[in-house]
Amino acid sequence: MKKRSFSTKQMAGAFVAGALLFSGISYAAANANEAKNVVSGTAAKIMFFLNGEEHSNKDGKYVNHGTAVPASIIHQGTTYVPVRMIADQLDKSLFWDETTRSVSIGKPSVKLLNASGEALGLATFEEVEDGVRVKISASGLTPGKHGFHVHENAIESLDFKSAGGHFNPTDKHHGLENPQGSHVGDMPNLMVKEDGTVEAEVTIQHATLEKDKPNSILGRSLIIHAGEDDNKSDPAGNSGDRIMGGNIPK
């Protein structure tokens, strides 16, 4: 197949047109107009973020001239994914969570869902000198303190129990106030206002966004609990039920 180079303007156009994904993310190198005639797959709800800002519409779909973008474009047996090409041109990292069909360029971003699947929050991550900085905003919570942690597994089918225990690669005890702690996934309580909203910025100490590191939080999950974390009791600070969460893309 004849390859074609793309200008920055063309790349930006592809970015605006939409993000096309498949679970094995590969490089794109095709004429988009030619490939459009051999589209396969069905339209999929995909969450897309650039540097922590969401770029999808209310339905989680991308629209190109009135047509919902499919999950992939296949031409002569090759799957083309323009979003990977865009990330390379911008010299940004690309993160993909297959479970929730969420892709992030630059900074990993996580939609936070309640048990009914309503998207009520957003968290973004950034590598800093002493760990990973998390910025979170959420609504629909009861006023007061809520435990907030990184858990060891991704959430499956909105079953927050599938997230497993706190992310604890160093085999410590729980709690930021525990002299024998703490888990890498331990964070301060979220302080929810009377209107049920919260905006916070915290640092996950000793964590990283580097792939394949034992302390990497990529591919794990965020969980918000119903109650306050006492910051010292194993295994989770008596913080109660898991009421909201989301998967950190890989």
Side-chain angles (χ1 to χ4, degrees):
M1 185 178 119
K2 183 178 179 180
K3 293 187 177 180
R4 174 185 172 187
S5 61
F6 290 79
S7 68
T8 302
K9 184 177 180 180
Q10 287 173 313
M11 301 299 293
F15 175 81
V16 172
L20 309 182
L21 300 175
F22 77 118
S23 60
I25 296 178
S26 66
Y27 281 98
N31 183 316
N33 292 327
E34 177 186 358
K36 186 168 65 174
N37 296 323
V38 288
V39 169
S40 66
T42 57
K45 291 184 178 181
I46 297 173
M47 292 181 289
F48 184 70
F49 304 89
L50 175 62
N51 289 331
E53 295 185 7
E54 188 174 6
H55 285 263
S56 54
N57 63 25
K58 293 181 180 180
D59 295 325
K61 294 181 180 179
Y62 290 84
V63 177
N64 185 10
H65 303 298
T67 303
V69 174
S72 63
I73 291 178
I74 299 177
H75 178 63
Q76 296 181 354
T78 300
T79 304
Y80 297 104
V81 190
V83 67
R84 178 61 180 268
M85 187 165 58
I86 296 296
D88 288 343
Q89 289 292 317
L90 295 174
D91 194 25
K92 298 287 187 180
S93 298
L94 179 68
F95 304 92
W96 163 240
D97 177 56
E98 185 176 0
T99 303
T100 59
R101 302 190 62 77
S102 172
V103 64
S104 306
I105 288 180
K107 299 177 182 179
S109 297
V110 177
K111 273 285 190 180
L112 301 174
L113 312 177
N114 63 14
S116 299
E118 296 176 283
L120 298 177
L122 178 68
T124 61
F125 302 83
E126 182 179 11
E127 189 96 30
V128 293
E129 184 176 352
D130 53 350
V132 175
R133 180 181 297 136
V134 184
K135 291 183 179 180
I136 177 176
S137 61
S139 62
L141 297 164
T142 57
K145 296 181 179 180
H146 291 260
F148 183 45
H149 313 110
V150 176
H151 284 245
E152 60 186 346
N153 303 322
I155 300 164
E156 297 181 6
S157 303
L158 290 176
D159 177 9
F160 295 145
K161 291 182 179 179
S162 65
H166 292 179
F167 180 44
N168 185 24
T170 54
D171 197 27
K172 299 289 187 178
H173 290 270
H174 167 73
L176 297 176
E177 298 177 9
N178 192 321
Q180 302 180 70
S182 60
H183 301 152
V184 170
D186 290 343
M187 290 183 283
N189 284 295
L190 295 176
M191 300 292 294
V192 178
K193 296 184 290 187
E194 288 298 319
D195 63 359
T197 66
V198 61
E199 290 190 11
E201 183 175 316
V202 300
T203 298
I204 308 173
Q205 299 288 339
H206 311 301
T208 184
L209 294 175
E210 294 185 51
K211 297 180 185 293
D212 302 321
K213 295 286 187 178
N215 58 333
S216 176
I217 62 171
L218 297 180
R220 307 191 189 280
S221 59
L222 280 181
I223 294 287
I224 299 176
H225 291 258
E228 177 183 356
D229 184 344
D230 65 21
N231 281 315
K232 56 187 176 183
S233 300
D234 284 323
N238 294 315
S239 48
D241 293 338
R242 304 174 183 190
I243 58 173
M244 192 178 296
N247 291 336
I248 304 169
K250 297 180 181 179

